[in-house]
Amino acid sequence: MGIQHTGRHGIWSMGLRAEDPARRGELAEAAVELEELGFGAIWLGGSSAVRHAVPLIEATTRLTVATGIQSIWQYEAGDTAAEYAALETAHPGRFLLGLGVSHAKLADQYRRPYSAMVAYLDALDAAGVPAERRVLAALGPRMLRLSRDRAAGSHPYLVTPEHTAQAREALGEGRLLAPELKVILETDPTRARATARAHLSFYLGLPNYTNTFLRLGFTEDDLTDGGSDRLIDAVYAWGDENRIRSRVDEFHAAGADHVALQVIDEGPGDALPREGWRRLAALLG
């Protein structure tokens, strides 16, 4: 699984991993459209499993579908390896396994996350899942080095171009760096930042993210009241087409091979913002 298989831009979506059988046709139709719009990859948000990728891969012909991110605490390595092998046999080269350690507040089993990830990768190795077909949700230096040594690269979530530059240095060349970037298609600063703060509030309660922000030079004041303007503007792309395109370009200039774009609006988290995806495709050209 090389950089060329994901393209420069992809879509990150919670909605595309929905398990309601009644939505299967809707999800397949959306995936086909994303392929036609020119996106190279779909990243399935939340703690997605291999099985969530299957209907999207079956509906399309060339899109890479990735878990963004599968929690190692929620899915056993042996089960993951078996599902991966079946999907790879049916549709070779179309799936990328994104793995992460989640957060202490979300996983009761959360203990020694780095060691747990190493053990999970050992189990995948033993079961025949190639390192080049997996990426890690790495934020800190140790997990980034593990992404370099034991995976195809990294898929960091909720980061800035500055983090991307640091991640590229840690990964070196030849490793996939695919940060996620949240996009709000709103030009009014007050409305855009209000939408961002409503979305960011959940993440500000998770130390893995807040510690990363502090390492990047933000202060405790930046993390209060839903996030300062400075923080909001660093981790959300909002504004007109030129401004959003420029923000995406910043991540590429910092070393990203691929940027996974998540459209944020006032709708439910499992909605499919298809008009927003169309607007993104148009502005990215």
Side-chain angles (χ1 to χ4, degrees):
M1 175 63 64
I3 291 169
Q4 70 274 11
H5 292 281
T6 59
R8 285 176 60 81
H9 306 108
I11 290 295
W12 193 104
S13 170
M14 288 281 289
L16 285 170
R17 71 174 294 279
E19 298 190 60
D20 182 356
R23 297 190 65 190
R24 190 179 179 107
E26 176 191 15
L27 303 188
E29 181 183 275
V32 169
E33 182 178 19
L34 287 173
E35 184 171 71
E36 292 173 347
L37 288 171
F39 292 104
I42 290 172
W43 299 83
L44 299 177
S47 183
S48 302
V50 179
R51 66 175 180 269
H52 296 117
V54 172
L56 306 183
I57 289 176
E58 289 177 343
T60 55
T61 60
R62 60 184 182 277
L63 267 177
T64 294
V65 181
T67 51
I69 286 290
Q70 176 179 304
S71 169
I72 64 171
W73 313 107
Q74 188 171 350
Y75 301 99
E76 295 290 338
D79 295 337
T80 294
E83 292 183 10
Y84 165 84
L87 182 54
E88 180 65 13
T89 297
H91 301 279
R94 299 281 311 283
F95 177 73
L96 185 60
L97 178 63
L99 298 169
V101 297
S102 187
H103 305 271
K105 290 185 178 181
L106 304 180
D108 292 339
Q109 315 97 303
Y110 195 93
R111 302 287 189 281
R112 301 180 65 198
Y114 180 85
S115 296
M117 177 61 82
V118 170
Y120 201 95
L121 295 175
D122 288 343
L124 291 180
D125 286 346
V129 178
E132 63 268 21
R133 302 297 297 282
R134 60 202 190 206
V135 293
L136 308 185
L139 293 175
R142 292 184 75 200
M143 201 64 79
L144 282 165
R145 289 193 294 270
L146 192 65
S147 302
R148 176 195 65 199
D149 297 338
R150 301 288 304 275
S154 178
H155 173 53
Y157 186 88
L158 194 63
V159 292
T160 65
E162 290 75 19
H163 181 276
T164 297
Q166 294 173 13
R168 174 49 70 200
E169 183 176 0
L171 290 173
E173 297 303 318
R175 288 290 183 267
L176 176 66
L177 179 53
E180 176 267 354
L181 173 62
K182 296 165 179 57
V183 177
I184 299 173
L185 295 162
E186 171 60 65
T187 59
D188 179 82
T190 300
R191 288 197 294 268
R193 289 174 177 143
T195 298
R197 286 191 175 94
H199 185 263
L200 185 63
S201 60
F202 169 75
Y203 299 105
L204 290 179
L206 300 175
N208 290 8
Y209 293 124
T210 55
N211 289 340
T212 298
F213 293 147
L214 295 174
R215 285 197 300 269
L216 289 168
F218 294 97
T219 68
E220 293 288 351
D221 288 342
D222 288 308
L223 308 181
T224 61
D225 299 323
S228 66
D229 285 356
R230 174 184 175 223
L231 178 62
I232 294 295
D233 293 352
V235 296
Y236 289 80
W238 60 268
D240 61 19
E241 293 182 358
N242 288 333
R243 177 170 175 151
I244 290 173
R245 186 187 303 111
S246 176
R247 292 300 320 285
V248 176
D249 288 344
E250 287 179 29
F251 281 82
H252 284 297
D257 303 295
H258 172 97
V259 181
L261 301 163
Q262 180 182 180
V263 172
I264 304 298
D265 55 26
E266 296 177 353
D270 64 350
L272 303 180
R274 295 176 64 175
E275 180 56 34
W277 296 340
R278 294 169 192 140
R279 291 176 61 187
L280 276 181
L283 71 87
L284 293 169

